[in-house]
Structures are given as structure tokens and as C-alpha cells.
Amino acid sequence: QVQLVESGGGLVQPGGSLRLSCAASGGIYNIHAMGWYRQAPGKQRELVASITRGGSTNYADSVKGRFTISSDNAKNTVYLQMNFLKIEDTAVYYCNAQYEVLAGTVLDYWGQGTQVTVSS
């Protein structure tokens, strides 16, 4: 049973920083990629950033230059350093892990979500 445990959300003022962490456990296959998504009230869930096992990264345009994703493959853990936070970054942030069960076939797993609130 795959579990993704997130931590690091909270309340921060505009311009502040937060660091999210997500540790995956219980999988028997290799992780192909991990990432962070977010969902604000009344909006669809969107990709924030992702990183492959090989270290390739992808960012939403809205967070480029402010957020940095990194990972520790040995610990199956992904991090999201969020700097210069804006009010519009307020959302529930979800960790995602893609396990490669067959060549070219992945299964998605999700964390429970952690609230990030940016407010003065």
C-alpha cells in the first residue's frame, strides 16, 4: 500500500517562504517521477512542479523563478521550496508520485493534501 505523507504547509505573509516535504513509502515499483499539484477553491487542480527520477524538472509558468523542486531518491522524498509567496499561491497542495509498473506505464498516487495560505 503506497502512502504519501506531506508536511510543511501553513500560514505565511506575502513575500514569505515555505518548504513542503513529501515522503513516499510502501511501493514495490520504482518511482518514475514525483511532483506537487495545487487546488484553490473553485478551481481545477493544476501542476505546480514535477521532477523525474533522473532529475528533470518542470514548473508551472506562475511559479518559475520562485519555487524550486528537489528530491532525494534514496528516501523517496520530494521537496518544494516556495519563496516570494503571493496571495494567489493560496491552495491545498497535493503530492503526487508516479510508479512505473511496466515500461511506459505508470500508476499515480496522491497525498492527502496540505494547506498553504498566503495572507497579510
Side-chain angles (χ1 to χ4, degrees), residues 12-43:
V12 64
Q13 292 185 339
S17 298
L18 282 175
R19 188 185 193 223
L20 305 182
S21 299
C22 172
S25 63
I28 63 173
Y29 300 102
N30 287 331
I31 292 177
H32 168 68
M34 297 186 76
W36 292 94
Y37 289 69
R38 67 186 181 188
Q39 188 167 18
K43 295 187 176 181

Side-chain angles (χ1 to χ4, degrees), residues 9-88:
L11 173 65
V12 64
Q13 292 185 339
S17 298
L18 282 175
R19 188 185 193 223
L20 305 182
S21 299
C22 172
S25 63
I28 63 173
Y29 300 102
N30 287 331
I31 292 177
H32 168 68
M34 297 186 76
W36 292 94
Y37 289 69
R38 67 186 181 188
Q39 188 167 18
K43 295 187 176 181
Q44 289 189 332
R45 189 174 297 190
E46 62 176 0
L47 172 70
V48 176
S50 65
I51 185 167
T52 67
R53 191 171 185 82
S56 297
T57 58
N58 184 40
Y59 293 92
D61 287 343
S62 59
V63 307
K64 284 180 181 176
R66 299 189 298 122
F67 291 9
T68 302
I69 191 169
S70 60
S71 63
D72 184 335
N73 291 337
K75 296 181 179 180
N76 285 340
T77 299
V78 65
Y79 308 95
L80 186 67
Q81 178 66 44
M82 304 185 292
N83 298 328
F84 306 107
L85 281 159
K86 303 176 181 180
I87 291 175
E88 51 263 42

